[in-house]
Structures are given as C-alpha cells and as structure tokens.
Amino acid sequence: MMRESIPLSIPHISGNEWKYVKECLDTGWVSSVGSYVDQFEQRISEYVGVEFGIATVNGTAALHLSLLACGVQPGDEVIAPSFTFIAPINAIRYCGASPVFIGSDPETLGLDVNKVNDFLAHECVLRNGELYNKQSGRRIIAILPVHIFGHPVDMSPLNEVAGQYELPVIEDASESLGSEYYERKTGSLSTVGCFSFNGNKIITCGGGGMVTTNDKSLANRIRHLSTQANKKPFEYEHDEVGYNYRLTNMQAALGVAQLEQLDSFVEIKRKNAAHYREILANIPNVDLAWEASWAKSNYWLCTLIVTPADRIPLMEYLLTQNIQVRPAWKLIHTLSMYQDCQVYKMEETVAEFEKCISIPSSVQLTADDIRYVVDRIKVYFDQK
Ligand SMILES: Cc1ncc(COP(=O)(O)O)c(C=O)c1O
C-alpha cells in the first residue's frame, strides 16, 4: 500500500499559537501595532544576540529595507550569490541596483569569500574612497551573502574583505534561524541580518520577516521606512517615500508562540539530519550536504548530493513514491531578467547546483519516515 505523502517542509503548530492568536482576536489588536509585535522583536533580537529587531511583513521586505538603509541607490551594484532563492536578488532590483553574481563555495554552497576577494581585488578599482566595477563602471555598494539551506557562510573572512573596502554586509539569514557560526547565531554576524517566517521556514508567522542589527541609526532608519516614513504620526508628516512593511500583531503572536519552541525544533532537525547521514552512508554515490567544523546548521532543508545524471530520475522516482523532493533553485543568473548581469567564477557553482536534491525535512518527520525515504533512494539505485 502506498504511504501518505511525506512533505518537504511544513509548519509545526504545537505550542501556544491558538492561545496567543485568540488573544489578538478577543482584544481587537489584530493589526500592525500591538504587544506581540514588540515581544517578537525583542525576543528574536535576544535570541540572535543583537540589540535591535525590526519586524516586517516578510523576509523580502526585510532585505529591501536593509539594502536601502545601507545606502544602495539606483545604478549601484551589490555582490550576491546566484545559488539562492530569488528574493534577495529581487530586493536588490527593487532599489534600482544590479547584482554582480559571484560563485559559491562548493562545500558550504554559500557565497565563496575567495572568489569575492578576487573579484574586488582584480575587477574593481577604488576612486575617491568608493569602489567601482572596472567592467560596468558602476559603484559596488554592499555584499549580500545567503546562508542557504540553513548552513552559514564563512562570515569572518567575508567580513574582513568587506571591511577592507568599507562595504556593509547584509546577511540573508532567512533560512538559518538558529544556525551558528563559531557559536554565534546567524543574523548577528555582520551589518544587518534578515529573516523570513514564511510557512516553509523553521518557525513561521504565516508570513513575516525581521531585520536584526546592532546599529542604532540603521535600526531607526529601517523602522522609519517600514512605517510610511511617518516622522510625526499624529500630524501625518511623512518626510520621504516610505513603505507599508510592518508585521501585524496576529502574525507576531504566531511568531512568539513558534519562537518558544525553536530550540527544540533545531534539536529535532539536527537529529533527523544525523539519522539521514548515518543511514545514507550505506548507499554509494549519495551524500547529505556537508556541515563545516565551525558551523552548526539548523538543517532547514536537508539536501542530498548526487551525481548530475541521477538528479532528475531520482527526484522523479521519489515523487512517485509520495516523497516530496525538489531541486535547488534555478541559478539566478540563468533567469531571463538577470541574464544581463555580470557573473564571476560560476563554473563550480553550476556543477554543484546539478547535484542537489532537497528531501523531507519538517520538524514532524519520524524515524520511520527517514528510513522510508532512504529505503526508496536505495531501491532507485538497486534498480538502475
Ligand atoms: C534565502 C531567502 N531569502 C529571502 C526569502 C524571502 O522571504 P519571504 O518569503 O518571507 O519574503 C526566502 C524565503 O522565502 C529565502 O529562502
């Protein structure tokens, strides 16, 4: 008999979610002001280990505001990976700027600091204290690493390179809440961090986001921009074009309840990844994506590394077995609207992308589910 479908990554609602959301409904505090918004901001910033948290309507809005607050202007360029979900790259475009796509590290799958260093050192030039891309003539204004699948980018050397050119670093930690880099939480490792609480993330608000930072003036500016740039709310005095990007109290209530369970979610996901790794070790040609010695990944999405020839047929087979799997995101530099952007040292990244399959990773995954998934992978290879 066919098993019920095993989902890729679904929310786990098992704490105070109903209670806190009901309180919003009962009191009428449902919109973008309320005690849960304040609590959520405070608790996320405490958890991540920074001074300020600014809640936003989603992770994409958090990225957009962070880029604006870091000074990204139309015509500028931002260093970014191609191997990522599209949201951070779209956020660069919302500012009227362009990404320069730099290849990823084949081990962590995140932005490769050596390639970034080479690009800045050899392809750019400093003029009047600002960095310009020799090829495009445009100003390089920021670096945007993404901790994909939950695994941190190697941030210390990246921050060092950024520091040499005085470039702010905007950490896209949307997928990595709870992950650590040398025992420090992602989202606290650079100028600003951005999170997503979309339904498929480790904790969810339904939809939601957060900016985290230790920089008070950046925090104030991001908060200002997120509330229609309303300088004197009573008098409706708006001093620039702002955005309606605030999170609602109901979504924040959900977020607070989810955050109460985050530590156990991280523990479960790490245990599940270890279980996958242990039993996958018996199948040649299949590995679980690597974890660096300096990293503690939240294993948001467990990702298989297979040979490129097996990637599509194995996914097709697993889908017929009611196991939800998916490929990595199509590399962004290959998409029509970003094909005109500069690409640097992308060969290894193309090769890595062709090996990745994300497999069921929800918190509620059981040991039995994991055995079933690995068993089906084994059947695929046995039948080849
Ligand atoms: C790496 C990354 N950045 C940004 C986002 C955007 O977040 P949201 O969907 O909340 O706008 C997501 C996920 O959706 C993501 O995976």
Side-chain angles (χ1 to χ4, degrees):
M1 204 177 63
M2 187 66 88
R3 281 181 62 122
E4 263 184 37
S5 177
I6 305 181
L8 188 76
S9 181
I10 55 169
H12 190 57
I13 310 288
S14 57
N16 287 316
E17 289 86 349
W18 280 96
K19 184 174 161 207
Y20 296 168
V21 173
K22 182 172 185 305
E23 191 187 311
C24 297
L25 296 171
D26 288 343
T27 58
W29 287 96
V30 293
S31 198
S32 55
V33 179
S35 64
Y36 281 112
V37 177
D38 299 339
Q39 273 186 61
F40 195 43
E41 290 182 336
Q42 195 187 332
R43 290 190 191 181
I44 288 280
S45 52
E46 275 169 17
Y47 179 84
V48 168
V50 297
E51 244 180 287
F52 307 101
I54 305 101
T56 57
V57 69
N58 55 46
T60 312
L63 286 157
H64 184 194
L65 295 182
S66 298
L67 288 159
L68 289 173
C70 285
V72 178
Q73 291 180 10
D76 284 341
E77 289 182 340
V78 176
I79 303 291
S82 179
F83 195 162
T84 171
F85 180 57
I86 198 168
I89 310 305
N90 282 342
I92 294 169
R93 268 286 153 87
Y94 300 164
C95 301
S98 298
V100 175
F101 293 115
I102 309 274
S104 293
D105 176 342
E107 310 268 62
T108 66
L109 304 178
L111 196 60
D112 187 329
V113 63
N114 293 319
K115 296 182 178 101
V116 173
N117 189 34
D118 287 352
F119 180 78
L120 297 181
H122 303 304
E123 306 297 326
C124 299
V125 60
L126 272 171
R127 246 186 275 137
N128 303 326
E130 294 192 308
L131 193 65
Y132 287 86
N133 181 344
K134 287 185 201 166
Q135 182 175 309
S136 67
R138 293 188 179 139
R139 184 171 70 144
I140 304 281
I141 185 73
I143 304 180
L144 199 166
V146 183
H147 306 303
I148 65 165
F149 302 135
H151 192 288
V153 169
D154 193 0
M155 289 300 293
S156 290
L158 188 67
N159 285 334
E160 206 173 298
V161 169
Q164 278 170 32
Y165 300 96
E166 295 184 27
L167 298 175
V169 177
I170 296 142
E171 226 184 303
D172 185 345
S174 295
E175 300 173 4
S176 67
L177 181 66
S179 299
E180 294 176 11
Y181 176 73
Y182 288 109
E183 299 182 2
R184 286 172 60 207
K185 294 277 191 315
T186 57
S188 73
L189 305 169
S190 58
T191 319
V192 284
C194 296
F195 290 97
S196 164
F197 308 110
N198 176 33
N200 69 359
K201 297 297 182 288
I202 189 162
I203 65 166
T204 186
C205 299
M210 185 81 69
V211 180
T212 50
T213 183
N214 284 312
D215 185 321
K216 189 173 183 181
S217 68
L218 271 183
N220 288 342
R221 172 126 180 86
I222 287 166
R223 192 177 295 283
H224 184 61
L225 286 172
S226 74
T227 47
Q228 305 281 24
N230 198 352
K231 197 172 168 201
K232 290 188 190 161
F234 184 68
E235 293 166 47
Y236 290 96
E237 191 181 319
H238 305 268
D239 59 359
E240 61 184 305
V241 176
Y243 301 86
N244 180 12
Y245 275 175
R246 292 290 287 156
L247 189 71
T248 70
N249 203 44
M250 274 201 302
Q251 289 166 306
L254 201 51
V256 169
Q258 288 266 285
L259 186 56
E260 289 170 352
Q261 304 159 78
L262 176 60
D263 283 338
S264 75
F265 290 180
V266 173
E267 201 179 311
I268 291 167
K269 283 167 85 75
R270 287 186 58 77
K271 210 175 82 209
N272 288 345
H275 193 187
Y276 267 132
R277 197 181 296 285
E278 185 191 327
I279 51 179
L280 279 168
N282 302 321
I283 309 177
N285 301 325
V286 186
D287 264 322
L288 200 65
W290 185 74
E291 186 182 47
S293 58
W294 39 258
K296 181 179 166 192
S297 174
N298 69 359
Y299 283 99
W300 169 61
L301 274 191
C302 286
T303 297
L304 294 180
I305 308 293
V306 298
T307 57
D310 286 317
R311 186 178 68 114
I312 301 282
L314 176 56
M315 277 195 290
E316 284 172 352
Y317 174 70
L318 293 175
L319 287 169
T320 68
Q321 300 303 301
N322 268 350
I323 298 168
Q324 275 188 14
V325 291
R326 73 172 202 203
W329 315 273
K330 219 166 217 215
L331 295 174
I332 309 293
H333 74 276
T334 66
L335 304 178
S336 59
M337 57 290 192
Y338 292 111
Q339 271 174 10
D340 59 339
C341 296
Q342 193 172 352
V343 169
Y344 187 74
K345 295 198 174 176
M346 201 56 71
E347 301 75 15
E348 282 178 317
T349 311
V350 172
E352 287 310 313
F353 157 78
E354 287 171 354
K355 297 180 192 163
C356 291
I357 301 177
S358 292
I359 55 175
S361 307
S362 310
V363 168
Q364 48 274 70
L365 200 69
T366 63
D368 196 37
D369 293 333
I370 292 172
R371 272 193 302 274
Y372 177 74
V373 173
V374 176
D375 184 50
R376 294 292 102 185
I377 294 170
K378 188 165 181 316
V379 168
Y380 165 84
F381 282 104
D382 287 348
Q383 284 176 354
K384 259 182 74 174

